[in-house]
Amino acid sequence: QVQLVESGGGLVQPGGSLRLSCAASGNIFSIYGMGWYRQAPGKERESVASFTRGGRTNYADSVRGRFTISRDNAKNTAFLQMNSLKPEDTAVYYCHAIINTREYWGQGTQVTVSS
C-alpha cells in the first residue's frame, strides 16, 4: 500500500511564502510522476506544478516564476516552494503521484493567503 502525506500548509499574508512537502511511503518500485494540484472553493481542481518521470517540470501559467517544485529522490519526497503568494492562491493543495503505474492522492493541505 502506498500513501502520500502532505505537510506545510497554513495562513500567510500576501507576498509571503510557504513550503509544502509530500512524502510517499509504502511499496514503491517506481515513481512515474509527482506533483501538486489545488482546488479553490467553487472551482475545479487544477494542476499547479509537476515532475515527469524524465525529470521535466511543468508549471501552471498562474504560478510560473513564483512557485518551484523540487524533490528528494532518496526520500521519495516532493516539495513546493511558494513565494510571492497572492489571495488567489488560496486553495486546498493536493499532492498527486503515479507510483507503480497507479494514481495516488494526498489528503490535501489548506493554504490561505489573507491579510
Side-chain angles (χ1 to χ4, degrees):
Q1 186 70 16
V2 172
Q3 285 187 322
L4 301 179
V5 178
E6 302 153 351
S7 61
L11 173 65
V12 64
Q13 292 186 342
S17 298
L18 283 175
R19 189 189 194 212
L20 305 183
S21 300
C22 173
S25 62
N27 296 322
I28 298 171
F29 299 103
S30 185
I31 298 178
Y32 291 90
M34 205 164 182
W36 298 89
Y37 282 69
R38 68 185 181 187
Q39 188 166 20
K43 294 188 177 181
E44 295 186 354
R45 191 173 296 189
E46 63 174 353
S47 178
V48 176
S50 63
F51 275 112
T52 65
R53 187 181 185 188
R56 188 181 69 182
T57 55
N58 295 308
Y59 293 95
D61 289 342
S62 59
V63 308
R64 188 174 290 112
R66 300 187 296 121
F67 291 11
T68 302
I69 190 170
S70 61
R71 62 187 178 183
D72 182 336
N73 290 332
K75 296 182 178 180
N76 294 324
T77 299
F79 306 95
L80 185 67
Q81 178 66 43
M82 305 184 293
N83 297 329
S84 301
L85 283 160
K86 304 175 181 180
E88 51 263 42
D89 294 318
T90 296
V92 178
Y93 284 70
Y94 295 92
C95 181
H96 173 264
I98 300 175
I99 299 173
N100 305 339
T101 74
R102 292 185 62 180
E103 187 177 38
Y104 294 91
W105 291 91
Q107 79 280 7
T109 186
Q110 177 70 45
V111 171
T112 302
V113 185
S114 175
S115 56

